[in-house]
Amino acid sequence: MNSREISNFQQLIKLHPLLKDEQRDRITIMISGKKFIVQNRQLKVFPETLLGNEDKRRIFYDNKLHVYRFNRHPSIFESILYYYLNPGILIRPPHIEPEIFYDELRFWNIDESLIETFIEEDMIPLDNIRFLPVQKWRRIIWKTLMYPESIHFPYSELVIGICILTTLLSSIPFIGEIIPTVTELNKLQNILNVEQIFFPLYIRSFYIIEILSITIFSIELNLRIISAPNFSLIIYDIINFLDLIIILSSSICLISYHLHNIRYINNFLSFYYWLLILKSFRIYRLARYMLRLRLLYKTIAICLNEICALIISVIFCMLLFGTLIYIIDNSEPESNTRNILDGFWLAFITLTTLGYGDIYPRSFEARIAAGLCALIGIIIFSMPTTIIFIKYTKLIQNKWKQNRNIRYLISS
């Protein structure tokens, strides 16, 4: 053995206690069959987490294999391990859905303030918890009215079909009222040879359908209130307020129908137009039974920032190009833009690519400005539309994942 080998051997003997301590400090973690070896001192950097606290992780220890066994996502655990090896740095793998990643972070007891940075505004928790009342009869009513899809097939489809059919039938009297009210009022007066038409107008069959619809809506709302496990579930559901508005507006119309016949109320027509607007809310009852319609409303609510940015951009471009087209085209003797407001209207219908044709540029320079306005309008409207579509698609995917983890809890 030469002097160099002897020197290396002596250094190895000196390092032996350190190597032995390092070997003793190693722990083996098994994640769904994939093995990871890490130093315990690196995990103790975050003692409040599951891996950093020996007492918390002890229940996952396998005494036979001398490893910690976890049935978790291996790819996400690599990010968790990177969080320990590079303290405080947490990166979500791009192929992992945010809900799944968020659920794993909660399992490993990662710092809540750090988890919040990964929470997206359109995320849906994977744990879909639905509360039910204690009494069995209330539980049956609540599930039938609020979660009809939870009833065994084919009763679920039957309940949803009846509710949708009732809503659609209730719209028939509304259509029968609004058509003569808005379109043919004067002609109808001449045909009937009367000086004044009293509203609402009800054919006998429509009158019966209206009474039945109000009765069904009232019974349904009362049953929902009686069977609710918690009254807050009724308060925070906007569709219940829509039902209340529908019932009140329709009831007032029916009462006014009888009062008109005995000439107790005059000048009711102006107020009746507002009642028609309130009665039109009944079509929104379909949102309770049509998932994709509800998700569309939620997507619009999530994308309010993008919609506000779109409106501001449209106003800015409308002012800019409207003024520009008016100044350029106003010198033409046959110009359509008689004032600055016409220029704003031309810029708006060009931005939105409507082009009614009532106002159009005449000069060559104004047409170039209008063409540039149309190109900018396409760009402005395409970006928010794409964002809304992506958000809507993502909400559908999240809802599908959430429906696989539905849990019912009895509310005391």
PDB file of all heavy atoms in Angstrom, residues 349-364:
ATOM      1  N   ILE A 349     -70.457  50.119 -33.489  1.00  0.00           N
ATOM      2  CA  ILE A 349     -70.946  49.008 -34.313  1.00  0.00           C
ATOM      3  C   ILE A 349     -69.828  48.430 -35.176  1.00  0.00           C
ATOM      4  O   ILE A 349     -69.904  47.278 -35.614  1.00  0.00           O
ATOM      5  CB  ILE A 349     -72.136  49.456 -35.197  1.00  0.00           C
ATOM      6  CG1 ILE A 349     -71.723  50.553 -36.170  1.00  0.00           C
ATOM      7  CG2 ILE A 349     -73.304  49.876 -34.336  1.00  0.00           C
ATOM      8  CD1 ILE A 349     -72.817  50.980 -37.120  1.00  0.00           C
ATOM      9  N   THR A 350     -68.768  49.214 -35.405  1.00  0.00           N
ATOM     10  CA  THR A 350     -67.615  48.673 -36.130  1.00  0.00           C
ATOM     11  C   THR A 350     -66.764  47.816 -35.212  1.00  0.00           C
ATOM     12  O   THR A 350     -66.275  46.752 -35.613  1.00  0.00           O
ATOM     13  CB  THR A 350     -66.772  49.824 -36.721  1.00  0.00           C
ATOM     14  OG1 THR A 350     -67.600  50.660 -37.524  1.00  0.00           O
ATOM     15  CG2 THR A 350     -65.647  49.274 -37.573  1.00  0.00           C
ATOM     16  N   LEU A 351     -66.572  48.254 -33.971  1.00  0.00           N
ATOM     17  CA  LEU A 351     -65.804  47.462 -33.000  1.00  0.00           C
ATOM     18  C   LEU A 351     -66.461  46.109 -32.753  1.00  0.00           C
ATOM     19  O   LEU A 351     -65.781  45.080 -32.663  1.00  0.00           O
ATOM     20  CB  LEU A 351     -65.684  48.227 -31.680  1.00  0.00           C
ATOM     21  CG  LEU A 351     -64.602  49.296 -31.562  1.00  0.00           C
ATOM     22  CD1 LEU A 351     -64.803  50.110 -30.300  1.00  0.00           C
ATOM     23  CD2 LEU A 351     -63.218  48.661 -31.568  1.00  0.00           C
ATOM     24  N   THR A 352     -67.774  46.120 -32.628  1.00  0.00           N
ATOM     25  CA  THR A 352     -68.501  44.874 -32.344  1.00  0.00           C
ATOM     26  C   THR A 352     -68.815  44.078 -33.604  1.00  0.00           C
ATOM     27  O   THR A 352     -69.477  43.047 -33.528  1.00  0.00           O
ATOM     28  CB  THR A 352     -69.813  45.196 -31.618  1.00  0.00           C
ATOM     29  OG1 THR A 352     -70.556  46.133 -32.402  1.00  0.00           O
ATOM     30  CG2 THR A 352     -69.529  45.805 -30.257  1.00  0.00           C
ATOM     31  N   THR A 353     -68.364  44.577 -34.777  1.00  0.00           N
ATOM     32  CA  THR A 353     -68.564  43.935 -36.092  1.00  0.00           C
ATOM     33  C   THR A 353     -70.043  43.738 -36.417  1.00  0.00           C
ATOM     34  O   THR A 353     -70.403  42.778 -37.095  1.00  0.00           O
ATOM     35  CB  THR A 353     -67.813  42.598 -36.187  1.00  0.00           C
ATOM     36  OG1 THR A 353     -68.391  41.661 -35.279  1.00  0.00           O
ATOM     37  CG2 THR A 353     -66.334  42.751 -35.899  1.00  0.00           C
ATOM     38  N   LEU A 354     -70.898  44.622 -35.909  1.00  0.00           N
ATOM     39  CA  LEU A 354     -72.328  44.543 -36.232  1.00  0.00           C
ATOM     40  C   LEU A 354     -72.599  45.150 -37.602  1.00  0.00           C
ATOM     41  O   LEU A 354     -73.144  44.501 -38.487  1.00  0.00           O
ATOM     42  CB  LEU A 354     -73.153  45.270 -35.158  1.00  0.00           C
ATOM     43  CG  LEU A 354     -73.201  44.608 -33.785  1.00  0.00           C
ATOM     44  CD1 LEU A 354     -73.931  45.501 -32.805  1.00  0.00           C
ATOM     45  CD2 LEU A 354     -73.890  43.257 -33.872  1.00  0.00           C
ATOM     46  N   GLY A 355     -72.239  46.429 -37.778  1.00  0.00           N
ATOM     47  CA  GLY A 355     -72.395  47.080 -39.061  1.00  0.00           C
ATOM     48  C   GLY A 355     -73.831  47.156 -39.541  1.00  0.00           C
ATOM     49  O   GLY A 355     -74.211  46.527 -40.528  1.00  0.00           O
ATOM     50  N   TYR A 356     -74.687  47.933 -38.859  1.00  0.00           N
ATOM     51  CA  TYR A 356     -76.088  48.026 -39.260  1.00  0.00           C
ATOM     52  C   TYR A 356     -76.258  48.672 -40.632  1.00  0.00           C
ATOM     53  O   TYR A 356     -77.198  48.374 -41.355  1.00  0.00           O
ATOM     54  CB  TYR A 356     -76.880  48.833 -38.219  1.00  0.00           C
ATOM     55  CG  TYR A 356     -77.092  48.075 -36.934  1.00  0.00           C
ATOM     56  CD1 TYR A 356     -76.587  48.545 -35.738  1.00  0.00           C
ATOM     57  CD2 TYR A 356     -77.808  46.884 -36.923  1.00  0.00           C
ATOM     58  CE1 TYR A 356     -76.788  47.857 -34.551  1.00  0.00           C
ATOM     59  CE2 TYR A 356     -78.012  46.185 -35.746  1.00  0.00           C
ATOM     60  CZ  TYR A 356     -77.497  46.675 -34.564  1.00  0.00           C
ATOM     61  OH  TYR A 356     -77.698  45.988 -33.405  1.00  0.00           O
ATOM     62  N   GLY A 357     -75.366  49.590 -40.978  1.00  0.00           N
ATOM     63  CA  GLY A 357     -75.467  50.257 -42.270  1.00  0.00           C
ATOM     64  C   GLY A 357     -76.198  51.566 -42.229  1.00  0.00           C
ATOM     65  O   GLY A 357     -76.320  52.246 -43.259  1.00  0.00           O
ATOM     66  N   ASP A 358     -76.748  51.959 -41.066  1.00  0.00           N
ATOM     67  CA  ASP A 358     -77.432  53.248 -40.983  1.00  0.00           C
ATOM     68  C   ASP A 358     -76.438  54.402 -41.060  1.00  0.00           C
ATOM     69  O   ASP A 358     -76.751  55.472 -41.576  1.00  0.00           O
ATOM     70  CB  ASP A 358     -78.254  53.331 -39.694  1.00  0.00           C
ATOM     71  CG  ASP A 358     -77.408  53.025 -38.459  1.00  0.00           C
ATOM     72  OD1 ASP A 358     -76.309  52.464 -38.624  1.00  0.00           O
ATOM     73  OD2 ASP A 358     -77.853  53.338 -37.340  1.00  0.00           O
ATOM     74  N   ILE A 359     -75.225  54.190 -40.524  1.00  0.00           N
ATOM     75  CA  ILE A 359     -74.155  55.183 -40.603  1.00  0.00           C
ATOM     76  C   ILE A 359     -72.907  54.482 -41.117  1.00  0.00           C
ATOM     77  O   ILE A 359     -72.569  53.394 -40.623  1.00  0.00           O
ATOM     78  CB  ILE A 359     -73.888  55.830 -39.232  1.00  0.00           C
ATOM     79  CG1 ILE A 359     -75.157  56.500 -38.705  1.00  0.00           C
ATOM     80  CG2 ILE A 359     -72.746  56.837 -39.318  1.00  0.00           C
ATOM     81  CD1 ILE A 359     -75.013  57.063 -37.314  1.00  0.00           C
ATOM     82  N   TYR A 360     -72.236  55.064 -42.058  1.00  0.00           N
ATOM     83  CA  TYR A 360     -71.026  54.444 -42.624  1.00  0.00           C
ATOM     84  C   TYR A 360     -70.101  55.556 -43.114  1.00  0.00           C
ATOM     85  O   TYR A 360     -70.537  56.670 -43.444  1.00  0.00           O
ATOM     86  CB  TYR A 360     -71.401  53.495 -43.770  1.00  0.00           C
ATOM     87  CG  TYR A 360     -72.243  54.111 -44.852  1.00  0.00           C
ATOM     88  CD1 TYR A 360     -71.682  54.746 -45.959  1.00  0.00           C
ATOM     89  CD2 TYR A 360     -73.641  54.063 -44.756  1.00  0.00           C
ATOM     90  CE1 TYR A 360     -72.463  55.316 -46.942  1.00  0.00           C
ATOM     91  CE2 TYR A 360     -74.438  54.640 -45.741  1.00  0.00           C
ATOM     92  CZ  TYR A 360     -73.843  55.260 -46.831  1.00  0.00           C
ATOM     93  OH  TYR A 360     -74.622  55.831 -47.790  1.00  0.00           O
ATOM     94  N   PRO A 361     -68.800  55.305 -43.148  1.00  0.00           N
ATOM     95  CA  PRO A 361     -67.845  56.334 -43.587  1.00  0.00           C
ATOM     96  C   PRO A 361     -67.902  56.520 -45.114  1.00  0.00           C
ATOM     97  O   PRO A 361     -68.063  55.552 -45.851  1.00  0.00           O
ATOM     98  CB  PRO A 361     -66.497  55.779 -43.132  1.00  0.00           C
ATOM     99  CG  PRO A 361     -66.696  54.306 -43.076  1.00  0.00           C
ATOM    100  CD  PRO A 361     -68.125  54.088 -42.686  1.00  0.00           C
ATOM    101  N   ARG A 362     -67.697  57.765 -45.545  1.00  0.00           N
ATOM    102  CA  ARG A 362     -67.733  58.063 -46.972  1.00  0.00           C
ATOM    103  C   ARG A 362     -66.344  58.324 -47.558  1.00  0.00           C
ATOM    104  O   ARG A 362     -66.053  57.902 -48.672  1.00  0.00           O
ATOM    105  CB  ARG A 362     -68.631  59.289 -47.223  1.00  0.00           C
ATOM    106  CG  ARG A 362     -70.073  59.114 -46.773  1.00  0.00           C
ATOM    107  CD  ARG A 362     -70.719  57.935 -47.470  1.00  0.00           C
ATOM    108  NE  ARG A 362     -70.810  58.185 -48.909  1.00  0.00           N
ATOM    109  CZ  ARG A 362     -71.895  58.600 -49.535  1.00  0.00           C
ATOM    110  NH1 ARG A 362     -73.002  58.777 -48.834  1.00  0.00           N
ATOM    111  NH2 ARG A 362     -71.902  58.814 -50.839  1.00  0.00           N
ATOM    112  N   SER A 363     -65.484  59.002 -46.821  1.00  0.00           N
ATOM    113  CA  SER A 363     -64.157  59.336 -47.350  1.00  0.00           C
ATOM    114  C   SER A 363     -63.220  58.139 -47.247  1.00  0.00           C
ATOM    115  O   SER A 363     -63.431  57.217 -46.435  1.00  0.00           O
ATOM    116  CB  SER A 363     -63.572  60.537 -46.603  1.00  0.00           C
ATOM    117  OG  SER A 363     -63.355  60.203 -45.244  1.00  0.00           O
ATOM    118  N   PHE A 364     -62.168  58.164 -48.057  1.00  0.00           N
ATOM    119  CA  PHE A 364     -61.198  57.070 -48.068  1.00  0.00           C
ATOM    120  C   PHE A 364     -60.463  56.974 -46.738  1.00  0.00           C
ATOM    121  O   PHE A 364     -60.245  55.880 -46.212  1.00  0.00           O
ATOM    122  CB  PHE A 364     -60.204  57.291 -49.221  1.00  0.00           C
ATOM    123  CG  PHE A 364     -59.115  56.260 -49.291  1.00  0.00           C
ATOM    124  CD1 PHE A 364     -59.386  54.981 -49.747  1.00  0.00           C
ATOM    125  CD2 PHE A 364     -57.821  56.566 -48.876  1.00  0.00           C
ATOM    126  CE1 PHE A 364     -58.385  54.018 -49.801  1.00  0.00           C
ATOM    127  CE2 PHE A 364     -56.822  55.609 -48.918  1.00  0.00           C
ATOM    128  CZ  PHE A 364     -57.100  54.341 -49.397  1.00  0.00           C
TER     129      PHE A 364
END
